[in-house]
Amino acid sequence: MMLNANIPSGPIEQAWDKARFDMKLVSPANKRRHSLIVVGSGLAGASASASLGELGYNVKCFCFQDSPRRAHSIAAQGGINAAKNYPNDGDSIYRLFYDTLKGGDFRAREANVYRLAQISVKIIDQCVAQGVPFAREYGGLLANRSFGGAQVSRTFYARGQTGQQLLLGAYQALERQVYAGTVTMVPRTEMLDLIVIYGQARGIVARNLVDGELSVHIADAVILASGGYGNVYYLSTNAKGSNATAIWRAYKRGALFANPCFTQIHPTCIPVSGDYQSKLTLMSESLRNDGRIWVPKMKGDRRSPNQIPEDERDYYLERRYPSFGNLVPRDVASRNAKQVCDEDRGVGKSGLGVYLDFSDAISRLGEKIIRERYGNLFNMYQRITDEDPYKGPMRIYPAIHYTMGGLWVDYQLQSTIPGLFVLGEANFSDHGANRLGASALMQGLADGYFIIPYTVGNYLAANRFARVDESRQEIQNTVTTVRETIINCSPSEAGGPSIRSIASWAKLYGSLAA
Amino acid sequence: MEFTLKIWRQKSHNEKGEFISYPMDNVSPEMSMLECLDVLNETLMVRGEEPVAFDHDCREGICGSCGFVINGVAHGPERATIVCQLTMRHFRSGEELIIEPWRAEAFPLIKDLIVDRRSFDRIIEAGGYISVSTAQAPDGNAILVGKDAADQAMDAAVCIGCGACVAACPNGSSALFTGAKIAHLGILPQGKPERDGRALHMVAQMNAELFGNCTNIGECTGVCPKGISLEVIAIMNRDYLHASWKRREALEATIPPALERNTHRT
Ligand SMILES: Cc1cc2nc3c(=O)[nH]c(=O)nc-3n(C[C@H](O)[C@H](O)[C@H](O)COP(=O)(O)OP(=O)(O)OC[C@H]3O[C@@H](n4cnc5c(N)ncnc54)[C@H](O)[C@@H]3O)c2cc1C
Ligand code: SF4
Ligand code: FES
């Protein structure tokens, strides 16, 4: 297969303007004749559904939670980047573009990243207008902070709940369209397969998670905004429900998948405490601004941290990377933590943890300032571990957090199946081999608010759509595949036992690692 | 630790439910309440029994999916803690924990501990937003928002839509939830132009659903995991009264259609 990214020719700065000018438009009267399916109601899916609804398309939006407001984007803490350069500290569209590319080891698609940096400024405007309560300076202007080792302050934030506030903004815009009748919300419903007819994505097979009924939904195009696949690892910082079914089924139907190994391991999570554990909790990486990371010098040292004298501690990041110290990039911090634990110098009951120590910062700045900066994070840590981080060091360990890989898309965010568009964490294009902090929220909203409304219009205007009937063979075959998979996975649905033995799984899918 | 979990089991909305007791031993104090249910469910599945159904997703206290009543208190005994973040060390070993779903007319039961909270979405749909379509916004700093206003709006905006306030209220009122959104948007300059209509429509929708009336008991704020204060209800009432007075003539024209449209829905 020939992969054509469809990047407009000419200078990169003008690529998006040129692409938009070259796009075909759907006349206002025709928009409502086109139906679109959006799978996902996170930042990408909710913003896309709302914007497409505002334009007058007929949109059906799916999520597996009981309400679109609960999508996993809600959990993002730190912030969202934008090249506003409000602090006048030398930021620019080009610098955000360059930093993103460099952070991703130059493996992202340049034209997409440039467009992302251009659009970033409009995202902040949109969210402010929607009433997202971003942090403010006393004069009433928007506040910024520096995040994830960036040399400029370009991160906008709403306390430690930026993802929540941005998602609620998009959710409210979505509900406004539900009221207007342009968007139909289909919650507690999971997409289980993609319907492809004459090579075009034309719908999905979905399952109602309350009564188990399967249903077929037909549309002129399908937009996947189903999030990342971090939960292919047993424990991750992703929500329990986050899963890869939607993109996996699209892959099985012919959409190419790019860079699956590009996953991000976040260095500051609370370590695993037992085998019943259901997920990992992320602690904001801003903690590394004031905390010092160390392990004992001696192998197998099980003394409590306060009993280990200063000269028996190894501040390994400061030692190895004197100019960055504890603020090395995420991947470096994670790799080093694993390394010292593999050397049997890890701490905590499991030995899989390193200390993040605030005692220096507390004696330098006073407990009050530390409380102001990190109070809610310290409380969260204490609630989960029952240890007081003001008195002794925190324990942290790396955890899988974000997936840069995803379904391959071209400049129009279209996958290799015509009519199947992929937005947000589910696609692969903008972060290369490593994502900068506070850039996933930016990308999800750029895709949903500002890119897909144009590119899907171009697709609709340029193609013809045969009338499709549910009884078609392709559709019936897809439904049959779904039904068989369900019974394979949970035999009880066909009157079988309620759980399968490991041996029977192995018979079905090949041997499974222990 | 050891516990007896007495859990409400109900197959569906139309069937009768009952409490069933499940003894649990070997519970680690570090487990969250939901992880404790996970462990129970694994044993139930091995025995060929139906696992206990409960809503959950983020398990970080932010998505608002989870929630049930433990020993009569919504989200359990710890203040400002939602059940996914409630660790078992907060209970005494040997205790019996009575676990039941949110009980409110406006939240019909779906199964076991799961209820239908779509009435919350419909309240937002009725006006819980600022009408600005994509690409219509002015520059972010063109709208100045004083730090105090931004902080106050944020205090209200942190509501996670869990529904504990409704479950705890003897009247089953959703005043805290609705007030939080009206306060969040109304405090900000961006939200002022639509303030009247927002209050009128959201309150009308709240009444059209099966929520009860607020009689200022205050149970809601006591169980709210995000500490939303009763002040938001005062803001809602003030906005509503103000708007009703200003629009007393137009009222008849605006409210009935909203009511009619939504009461027909299930
Ligand atoms: C703990 C945490 C903190 C983070 N902090 C930050 C941060 O500070 N800054 C930043 O920029 N990024 C952050 N990220 C990353 C960022 O939050 C995500 O990458 C981003 O929100 C993903 O948005 P999305 O819209 O692509 O997908 P999601 O928000 O994951 O939404 C997926 C949607 O798809 C639906 N869905 C999925 N599969 C199906 C299916 N089969 N059928 C029907 N519906 C389906 C779900 O119901 C949901 O609505 C963080 C991530 C985590 C885990
Ligand atoms: S006001 Fe509090 S209790 Fe009520 S839904 Fe919001 S967060 Fe939950
Ligand atoms: S599972 Fe998300 S708040 Fe509890």
Side-chain angles (χ1 to χ4, degrees):
Chain A
M1 179 189 273
M2 249 285 279
L3 282 179
N4 182 353
N6 290 316
I7 300 166
S9 57
I12 198 170
E13 295 83 354
Q14 286 147 33
W16 181 228
D17 281 344
K18 180 166 186 316
R20 282 190 295 174
F21 182 70
D22 290 341
M23 280 178 199
K24 297 198 171 57
L25 301 174
V26 181
S27 79
N30 279 341
K31 287 200 175 100
R32 100 188 105 79
R33 299 212 186 97
H34 285 293
S35 56
L36 298 169
I37 284 174
V38 177
V39 179
S41 65
L43 286 180
S47 58
S49 303
S51 307
L52 293 165
E54 287 159 7
L55 290 174
Y57 293 108
N58 211 324
V59 182
K60 240 188 213 180
C61 176
F62 294 76
C63 71
F64 57 71
Q65 295 92 343
D66 66 330
S67 161
R69 65 180 291 154
R70 312 212 193 277
H72 174 56
S73 297
I74 201 106
Q77 302 168 348
I80 176 168
N81 287 333
K84 279 284 197 188
N85 194 27
Y86 284 150
N88 196 24
D89 58 358
D91 199 12
S92 62
I93 287 170
Y94 195 86
R95 189 179 292 280
L96 176 55
F97 158 72
Y98 183 79
D99 287 354
T100 309
L101 267 192
K102 182 165 177 240
D105 203 22
F106 298 96
R107 290 168 202 243
R109 185 185 293 139
E110 293 182 12
N112 288 45
V113 179
Y114 197 87
R115 172 177 65 187
L116 176 65
Q118 283 175 310
I119 290 174
S120 69
V121 295
K122 290 211 217 163
I123 296 174
I124 301 303
D125 300 343
Q126 187 65 32
C127 297
V128 167
Q130 287 172 343
V132 170
F134 282 120
R136 298 277 170 167
E137 306 291 355
Y138 282 100
L141 296 166
L142 288 156
N144 285 113
R145 66 180 168 202
S146 125
F147 196 72
Q151 286 165 306
V152 291
S153 291
R154 61 160 78 99
T155 305
F156 295 77
Y157 60 101
R159 290 198 192 139
Q161 286 116 299
T162 316
Q164 179 197 29
Q165 294 309 317
L166 295 174
L167 182 61
L168 291 181
Y171 156 75
Q172 287 161 202
L174 169 73
E175 290 297 342
R176 175 170 164 247
Q177 291 311 305
V178 172
Y179 190 74
T182 57
V183 177
T184 307
M185 192 62 223
V186 194
R188 288 202 198 272
T189 304
E190 185 166 40
M191 164 192 170
L192 292 181
D193 216 337
L194 181 73
I195 294 170
V196 182
I197 294 173
Y198 295 131
Q200 284 176 317
R202 287 303 303 275
I204 61 171
V205 177
R207 190 176 202 212
N208 181 317
L209 296 178
V210 175
D211 60 17
E213 286 300 313
L214 292 181
S215 53
V216 169
H217 305 264
I218 312 261
D220 296 340
V222 177
I223 297 165
L224 294 188
S226 55
Y229 52 92
N231 272 352
V232 299
Y233 293 79
Y234 179 55
L235 290 176
S236 84
T237 61
N238 286 17
K240 288 300 289 174
S242 300
N243 70 82
T245 305
I247 53 175
W248 173 249
R249 291 312 305 167
Y251 165 73
K252 291 302 248 185
R253 295 277 165 207
L256 293 190
F257 203 109
N259 306 339
C261 63
F262 288 176
T263 53
Q264 183 165 79
I265 317 284
H266 198 289
T268 51
C269 300
I270 300 180
V272 176
S273 66
D275 57 6
Y276 50 81
Q277 186 145 345
S278 59
K279 76 156 301 193
L280 295 170
T281 303
L282 178 80
M283 303 287 288
S284 166
E285 84 187 311
S286 62
L287 290 169
R288 288 199 280 142
N289 289 333
D290 285 306
R292 295 180 71 194
I293 294 177
W294 64 273
V295 289
K297 282 187 179 159
M298 202 170 67
K299 285 187 180 187
D301 190 342
R302 291 282 174 262
R303 286 176 290 174
S304 81
N306 299 334
Q307 286 169 337
I308 301 180
E310 199 55 38
D311 61 348
E312 289 179 41
R313 300 177 176 190
D314 179 10
Y315 295 88
Y316 58 89
L317 288 178
E318 296 171 19
R319 173 169 60 79
R320 286 182 194 157
Y321 310 94
S323 57
F324 284 94
N326 295 296
L327 290 174
V328 293
R330 288 180 180 177
D331 54 330
V332 180
S334 297
R335 209 173 303 115
N336 276 280
K338 173 156 182 354
Q339 208 175 3
V340 293
C341 292
D342 288 351
E343 292 164 12
D344 192 22
R345 295 197 289 144
V347 301
K349 244 193 276 173
S350 63
L352 292 177
V354 298
Y355 288 127
L356 177 61
D357 200 331
F358 287 85
S359 51
D360 276 4
I362 291 177
S363 47
R364 193 176 67 237
L365 303 164
E367 192 172 313
K368 183 161 170 278
I369 291 188
I370 295 298
R371 198 178 290 276
E372 267 166 26
R373 284 190 192 162
Y374 310 109
N376 56 348
L377 292 167
F378 278 33
N379 288 347
M380 180 163 93
Y381 184 82
Q382 181 154 24
R383 198 177 309 139
I384 292 176
T385 62
D386 204 24
E387 291 165 21
D388 182 356
Y390 294 101
K391 301 229 166 71
M394 290 182 174
R395 286 173 298 111
I396 53 165
Y397 196 67
I400 172 78
H401 176 61
Y402 182 86
T403 53
M404 280 75 67
L407 290 182
W408 185 92
V409 290
D410 66 4
Y411 190 69
Q412 309 265 330
L413 303 183
Q414 185 168 231
S415 72
T416 49
I417 301 178
L420 178 70
F421 293 81
V422 191
L423 320 181
E425 195 174 337
N427 77 22
F428 91 112
S429 63
D430 293 6
H431 306 293
N434 185 30
R435 172 177 69 80
L436 292 188
S439 283
L441 302 181
M442 167 173 80
Q443 183 226 332
L445 291 179
D447 290 0
Y449 282 133
F450 294 106
I451 300 174
I452 195 70
Y454 288 96
T455 60
V456 91
N458 179 51
Y459 173 78
L460 295 172
N463 286 280
R464 314 188 102 244
F465 301 93
R467 260 192 74 82
V468 172
D469 198 293
E470 256 193 50
S471 58
R472 272 185 87 96
Q473 198 56 44
E474 294 97 326
I475 298 184
Q476 287 315 310
N477 291 348
T478 310
V479 173
T480 310
T481 319
V482 168
R483 200 158 275 139
E484 282 168 0
T485 314
I486 291 175
I487 291 174
N488 278 339
C489 293
S490 43
S492 65
E493 306 227 6
S498 63
I499 46 170
R500 286 191 80 115
S501 66
I502 293 181
S504 85
W505 278 113
K507 212 163 136 197
L508 194 63
Y509 291 115
S511 91
L512 304 170
Chain B
M1 303 174 89
E2 285 173 19
F3 295 100
T4 305
L5 304 184
K6 197 170 157 190
I7 303 177
W8 184 260
R9 305 300 311 261
Q10 185 172 341
K11 277 218 165 73
S12 71
H13 184 61
N14 299 320
E15 279 159 272
K16 276 189 84 159
E18 58 176 340
F19 278 108
I20 298 190
S21 287
Y22 302 96
M24 298 273 299
D25 45 19
N26 262 328
V27 174
S28 149
E30 273 127 50
M31 271 185 191
S32 72
M33 188 70 231
L34 297 191
E35 284 166 347
C36 191
L37 290 182
D38 289 342
V39 172
L40 171 66
N41 278 346
E42 272 178 40
T43 44
L44 290 181
M45 284 194 288
V46 172
R47 295 211 301 252
E49 292 174 33
E50 275 273 303
V52 179
F54 60 92
D55 264 327
H56 68 104
D57 199 22
C58 73
R59 300 212 176 187
E60 280 189 22
I62 190 75
C63 75
S65 296
C66 69
F68 39 76
V69 174
I70 307 173
N71 291 347
V73 183
H75 289 312
E78 273 294 293
R79 255 190 104 86
T81 304
I82 188 161
V83 288
C84 59
Q85 295 212 299
L86 176 67
T87 43
M88 298 309 286
R89 76 173 77 87
H90 294 296
F91 300 102
R92 263 177 298 109
S93 187
E95 229 179 313
E96 178 180 69
L97 305 180
I98 302 173
I99 297 177
E100 55 191 319
W102 294 162
R103 298 198 194 269
E105 259 190 288
F107 292 161
L109 189 133
I110 293 177
K111 186 177 182 180
D112 295 342
L113 304 175
I114 298 184
V115 298
D116 181 349
R117 291 171 288 197
R118 276 178 301 173
S119 44
F120 269 9
D121 289 330
R122 291 191 291 266
I123 292 177
I124 299 296
E125 208 183 291
Y129 44 73
I130 289 168
S131 299
V132 50
S133 294
T134 300
Q136 292 178 337
D139 184 82
N141 265 343
I143 310 167
L144 294 183
V145 182
K147 189 169 181 312
D148 289 347
D151 283 344
Q152 224 189 330
M154 184 67 191
D155 287 342
V158 295
C159 162
I160 56 174
C162 63
C165 46
V166 176
C169 175
N171 306 323
S173 159
S174 64
L176 198 68
F177 167 82
T178 313
K181 190 47 65 191
I182 289 177
H184 158 208
L185 297 175
I187 289 166
L188 293 171
Q190 304 92 299
K192 297 255 194 282
E194 291 173 290
R195 199 160 148 192
D196 291 352
R198 182 180 307 120
L200 291 173
H201 288 106
M202 289 179 76
V203 169
Q205 186 61 39
M206 185 169 80
N207 295 336
E209 304 284 349
L210 297 170
F211 293 108
N213 285 326
C214 171
T215 52
N216 283 319
I217 299 172
E219 288 286 332
C220 51
T221 183
V223 299
C224 173
K226 298 294 152 183
I228 304 288
S229 96
L230 284 183
E231 198 189 338
V232 301
I233 300 182
I235 293 177
M236 172 175 76
N237 289 339
R238 188 195 60 200
D239 281 9
Y240 181 76
L241 284 176
H242 188 75
S244 312
W245 176 248
K246 254 181 32 196
R247 296 224 193 155
R248 56 197 180 280
E249 273 128 36
L251 258 186
E252 267 162 35
T254 55
I255 293 180
L259 279 172
E260 213 169 33
R261 180 170 176 272
N262 289 296
T263 38
H264 291 306
R265 288 203 236 162
T266 47

